Structures are given as structure tokens and as C-alpha cells.
């Protein structure tokens, strides 16, 4: 064999069921094509896991290789590596090209085959590295190059009924993981063993609810004692002790869609200082829940909760923003930064948006009530308010483990 293909069509097997129907993906692509038309662009070259999954249903595993989705007014083609065989074809809406390893940069040759040369191209400024952006310019020689990551993010921020149905299932399964964790909490148990109980319960529930899906990335952060001070602190082998402050965090991942449940607990009755801080954070959580509604502005919600904490001399212990959007994201990929409850976000909530309410206070070690306190619910913004789709109870009346 002297001639080796730079890329090829490898339609191995029939198309598999995707997380959503064809009409859902066509509606999303129509939205992206409107973005391209309004910007005077001929094609979009998407490279992020979240946008490729959103517009095609295919969630890639990079392992050091580039992946893409090229969208033109007529076509939608995923670009995948040969190591994946026919799985990208089976698991995407639209067509697929497989690039080979026989020569460096065959990925960009496949992209050029679909997108063409000398055209006006949209790309993701917040994902494409400097090195890969240079290759895009070298191979496609675009007459114009513009960012489409921000308008694509704005499109993703408003969920379709089908997305909300999937997110609702995710919230239900997150609660199941929470109950499994609660059952596993005991003096002497290791964080890792408690976390595995929650993860295993969620993965079984996902497989039962989505028997034709692909399963990956569900995880649990279960933290105790000093390890509660950060929201994203990894699990350890620390053994639980009487009097510990605990943090339960479940994250079922369904076809790239993230949901979460986060709760403060204690192993045994909390002391007075711990209970007072916990109750203050619960009160802030309930205030925040009451503020989520259409027409509310993210920064204004943030200001209200800030004022609540400031009145109690607790604002200096706030750890991060009070909530964020949901959709295709995880700890590996994705972020809808335009829909976060922070001081620098002026987005107005509207029906179809899905946001969390998750205030957190961190009291430094050595002070009364030391540790991290966090409650997290998921809300779907409706025409006249918001629906809380998280069911696991919160607060010291429910989450003191005897």
C-alpha cells in the first residue's frame, strides 16, 4: 500500500439512537445557521466537546487528538480520529469524516475538505489553542475569521422542552445518589467508599432510565472535615469521625448533560457555632430560591444575597458565585458563563433557562464552625416563576446523621 488516505468515510453499522430526536438537532443547527448568516459567515468550525455534542450528539474523547464539527448552510459533518472506528458516525446527527494518522494534520485536511478554502469562517475563540488556530489559518486560508462561541453559548442557555426533560431526569438521579450516600455514612467509613456508593447507585439508575445510551463521567465528591472547605476538593481516604462536617455532592452525567445535588450534613449533632452558620447558609439558599424568576437579573440576585450575608457579618466567607446554568458541561468541558449568578453578569432570566442556587460559606480552620457549607438546588425558569426540580431535603432538621 503506497497511497494512504488522509481521511475517509467509515459508516460502520447503522445509526444509533441519540439523546434527542433528529428534529431537535435540526432545530439547533438552524439556530447556528442563523448565527452564521447574521455574521456573514460561510461555515462554522467547532472544536469543543460541548458545542460538538450540542449540535451533533457526538461527545468525543480527545486523548490528545483534535475533533471537530463543520457546519455550513447545507451540511453538518463531524471530524473524528480513526482510533474511534465507526462510533462517531453511529453517534452523531449528520455525516462524519474519519481522519487517519498517516500524516500530521490530516484533521485539518478533513476540515478543509468540508469547509473549503478562502471562506468566512466562525470558530471558538475560547477553545481553539494558538497552535491550532494557526493551523486553521494555514489550511483554510479564510478571508475572514470570527468568533461564534459567545452566540452559540447564548443559544445553549435557553433549553428546549426535550433538554429540560433530560435535565429533570438528571436531578431525579442525583437525588438517588444522595440517598445512597446518606445510607453509607458511618463513623469510620472512608470518603472514597461513601462516594462510590453514590456513584454506583447513579450509574445503575442512568443505565435503567437510558438503556440505549453511552455511559461515562458520572462522579461524586464526598468531603469531610477540613476537606469541605472547597467545592471541588477531590475525594480522599479519610475516615469519618463523630462531629464531622460533611459535604455530599452527586453529579450524574447523561449524554454530556450535567446535573448536581449538593448538601451539608453532620455526623452527629452539630455544635452551636456550626448550626448557626449552617442555618444562615440555608436561609440565604431559601432567599436565593425565592429570587429566581423571569425578568430577574443575575447581578441583582447576587446583590440581594450579598446583602443578606453582609447583614450577618458572613459575606467575607462567601466562596464563589451563587449559581450557574445547566446543559452540556462537566468538570472536563463546557461552561455557560453568560448565565451565572455573579456580580459581573447582567443576563436577564427568561423561561427555558435552567440555573442552580448554591450559596457556600467557608469558615477557616481554627474558628468556631470551621468548614464549608453548601446547598444546591436546580431550578427551571417558567413563564411566571421557577420550578425547583431537586427533591433531596436540606438543612439541620434533615441532615444530621445520628
Amino acid at each position: 500500500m503506497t497511497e494512504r488516505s488522509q481521511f475517509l468515510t467509515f459508516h460502520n453499522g447503522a445509526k444509533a439512537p441519540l439523546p434527542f430526536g433528529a428534529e431537535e438537532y435540526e432545530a439547533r443547527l438552524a439556530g447556528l445557521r442563523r448565527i452564521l448568516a447574521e455574521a456573514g459567515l460561510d461555515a462554522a468550525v467547532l472544536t469543543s466537546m460541548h458545542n460538538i455534542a450540542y449540535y451533533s450528539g457526538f461527545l468525543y474523547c480527545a486523548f490528545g487528538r483534535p475533533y471537530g464539527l463543520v457546519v455550513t448552510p447545507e451540511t453538518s459533518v463531524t471530524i473524528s480520529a480513526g482510533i474511534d472506528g465507526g462510533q462517531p458516525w453511529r453517534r452523531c446527527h449528520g455525516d462524519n469524516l474519519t481522519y487517519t494518522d498517516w500524516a500530521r494534520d490530516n484533521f485539518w485536511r478533513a476540515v478543509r475538505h468540508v469547509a473549503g478554502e478562502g471562506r468566512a469562517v466562525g470558530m471558538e475563540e475560547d477553545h481553539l489553542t494558538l497552535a491550532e488556530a494557526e493551523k486553521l489559518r494555514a489550511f483554510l486560508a479564510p478571508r475572514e475569521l470570527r468568533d461564534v462561541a459567545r452566540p452559540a453559548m447564548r443559544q445553549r442557555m435557553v433549553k428546549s422542552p426535550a433538554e429540560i426533560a433530560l435535565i429533570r431526569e438528571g436531578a431525579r438521579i442525583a437525588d438517588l445518589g444522595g440517598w445512597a450516600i446518606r445510607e453509607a455514612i458511618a463513623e469510620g467509613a472512608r470518603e472514597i467508599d461513601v462516594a462510590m456508593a453514590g456513584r454506583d447507585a447513579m450509574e445503575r439508575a442512568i443505565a435503567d432510565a437510558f438503556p440505549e445510551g453511552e455511559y461515562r463521567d458520572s462522579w461524586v465528591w464526598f468531603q469531610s472535615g477540613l476537606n469541605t472547605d472547597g467545592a471541588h476538593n477531590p475525594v480522599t481516604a479519610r475516615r469519618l469521625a463523630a462531629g464531622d462536617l460533611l459535604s455530599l455532592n452527586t453529579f450524574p452525567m447523561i449524554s454530556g448533560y450535567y446535573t448536581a445535588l449538593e448538601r451539608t450534613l453532620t455526623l452527629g449533632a452539630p455544635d452551636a457555632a456550626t448550626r448557626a452558620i449552617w442555618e444562615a447558609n440555608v436561609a440565604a439558599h431559601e432567599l436565593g430560591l425565592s429570587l429566581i424568576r423571569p425578568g430577574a437579573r443575575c447581578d441583582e440576585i447576587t446583590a440581594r444575597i450579598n446583602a443578606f450575608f453582609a447583614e450577618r457579618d458572613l459575606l467575607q466567607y462567601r466562596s464563589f458565585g451563587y449559581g450557574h446554568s445547566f446543559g452540556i458541561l462537566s468538570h472536563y468541558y463546557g461552561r455557560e458563563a453568560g448565565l451565572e449568578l455573579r456580580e459581573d453578569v447582567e443576563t436577564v432570566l427568561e423561561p427555558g433557562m435552567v440555573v442552580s442556587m448554591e450559596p457556600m460559606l467557608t469558615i477557616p480552620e481554627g474558628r468556631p464552625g470551621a468548614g464549608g457549607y453548601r446547598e444546591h438546588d436546580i431550578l427551571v425558569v417558567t413563564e411566571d416563576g421557577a420550578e425547583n426540580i431537586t427533591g433531596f431535603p436540606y438543612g439541620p432538621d434533615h441532615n444530621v446523621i445520628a
Side-chain angles (χ1 to χ4, degrees):
M1 182 177 178
T2 56
E3 291 291 330
R4 288 180 165 178
S5 300
Q6 297 170 338
F7 51 86
L8 62 134
T9 298
F10 188 49
H11 294 178
N12 192 40
K15 287 283 194 180
L18 296 179
F20 304 101
E23 66 282 356
E24 174 80 9
Y25 292 107
E26 285 298 322
R28 297 177 184 186
L29 288 167
L32 178 58
R33 287 173 175 133
R34 284 193 294 272
I35 291 169
L36 297 179
E38 290 169 2
L41 299 173
D42 302 308
V45 176
L46 305 177
T47 51
S48 68
M49 294 180 77
H50 44 281
N51 271 332
I52 293 173
Y54 180 77
Y55 291 109
S56 78
F58 170 53
L59 186 64
Y60 66 75
C61 177
F63 237 118
R65 293 175 170 87
Y67 285 75
L69 172 67
V70 180
V71 177
T72 71
E74 299 82 22
T75 61
S76 171
V77 183
T78 53
I79 313 294
S80 61
I83 195 170
D84 293 325
Q87 182 262 0
W89 150 254
R90 295 191 297 272
R91 292 283 179 175
C92 81
H93 176 79
D95 207 348
N96 169 263
L97 273 182
T98 297
Y99 72 91
T100 68
D101 286 345
W102 313 144
R104 190 176 300 278
D105 295 328
N106 278 347
F107 168 78
W108 287 108
R109 294 181 178 93
V111 170
R112 180 176 60 193
H113 177 75
V114 181
E117 294 184 65
R119 310 184 77 190
V121 175
M123 53 79 169
E124 297 174 83
E125 280 184 351
D126 62 356
H127 183 265
L128 205 61
T129 65
L130 292 173
E132 293 301 316
E134 190 59 37
K135 290 180 181 181
L136 186 156
R137 293 183 178 92
F139 280 89
L140 273 60
R143 72 171 187 273
E144 183 179 3
L145 196 58
R146 296 181 63 178
D147 177 56
V148 294
R150 291 173 181 82
M153 177 190 68
R154 288 193 292 272
Q155 181 184 355
R156 297 196 316 273
M157 279 162 43
V158 179
K159 312 305 174 190
S160 70
E163 286 182 285
I164 291 172
L166 188 148
I167 291 169
R168 193 183 298 275
E169 272 294 276
R172 178 185 69 83
I173 292 169
D175 286 348
L176 294 177
W179 288 113
I181 286 172
R182 185 185 171 97
E183 287 298 312
I185 293 172
E187 189 172 350
R190 298 182 303 175
E191 286 183 5
I192 182 63
D193 296 317
V194 176
M196 287 192 293
R199 184 202 63 205
D200 290 351
M202 293 192 301
E203 290 188 336
R204 285 191 295 268
I206 293 170
D208 288 343
F210 300 90
E212 296 178 317
E214 294 179 316
Y215 313 118
R216 68 177 91 177
D217 296 340
S218 292
W219 84 102
V220 167
W221 283 322
F222 179 74
Q223 301 138 345
S224 63
L226 181 62
N227 202 29
T228 62
D229 69 342
H232 297 167
N233 292 355
V235 172
T236 75
R238 181 185 184 275
R239 294 189 181 274
L240 308 189
D244 272 348
L245 188 66
L246 308 174
S247 185
L248 172 163
N249 311 268
T250 64
F251 307 97
M253 295 295 297
I254 304 171
S255 299
Y257 275 75
Y258 165 103
T259 47
L261 166 72
E262 301 174 9
R263 289 290 184 259
T264 300
L265 310 93
T266 57
L267 185 52
D271 60 36
T274 297
R275 188 178 184 101
I277 296 164
W278 190 0
E279 289 179 341
N281 199 55
V282 164
H285 180 63
E286 291 177 339
L287 170 62
L289 294 174
S290 74
L291 299 174
I292 304 297
R293 63 185 185 277
R297 220 170 71 178
C298 292
D299 58 343
E300 293 173 348
I301 293 171
T302 301
R304 290 281 301 277
I305 305 174
N306 279 347
F308 178 91
F309 278 139
E311 290 169 1
R312 290 153 181 81
D313 196 27
L314 291 171
L315 184 58
Q316 66 270 32
Y317 302 123
R318 170 191 157 190
S319 298
F320 51 83
Y322 294 118
H324 57 79
S325 182
F326 285 79
I328 297 182
L329 64 134
S330 84
H331 52 333
Y332 298 127
Y333 54 84
R335 194 71 175 175
E336 294 172 8
L339 186 49
E340 296 193 3
L341 302 179
R342 301 190 333 189
E343 290 87 344
D344 58 346
V345 178
E346 298 180 350
T347 301
V348 176
L349 299 184
E350 59 183 272
M353 290 179 171
V354 182
V355 296
S356 61
M357 175 49 58
E358 49 177 307
M360 180 176 180
L361 296 174
T362 298
I363 309 301
E365 188 75 356
R367 299 190 183 185
Y373 302 77
R374 186 166 68 261
E375 315 294 345
H376 177 298
D377 286 15
I378 301 171
L379 297 102
V380 178
V381 181
T382 63
E383 294 292 336
D384 56 1
E387 178 189 1
N388 189 335
I389 61 174
T390 297
F392 195 96
Y394 58 79
D397 292 340
H398 302 282
N399 290 326
V400 172
I401 310 301

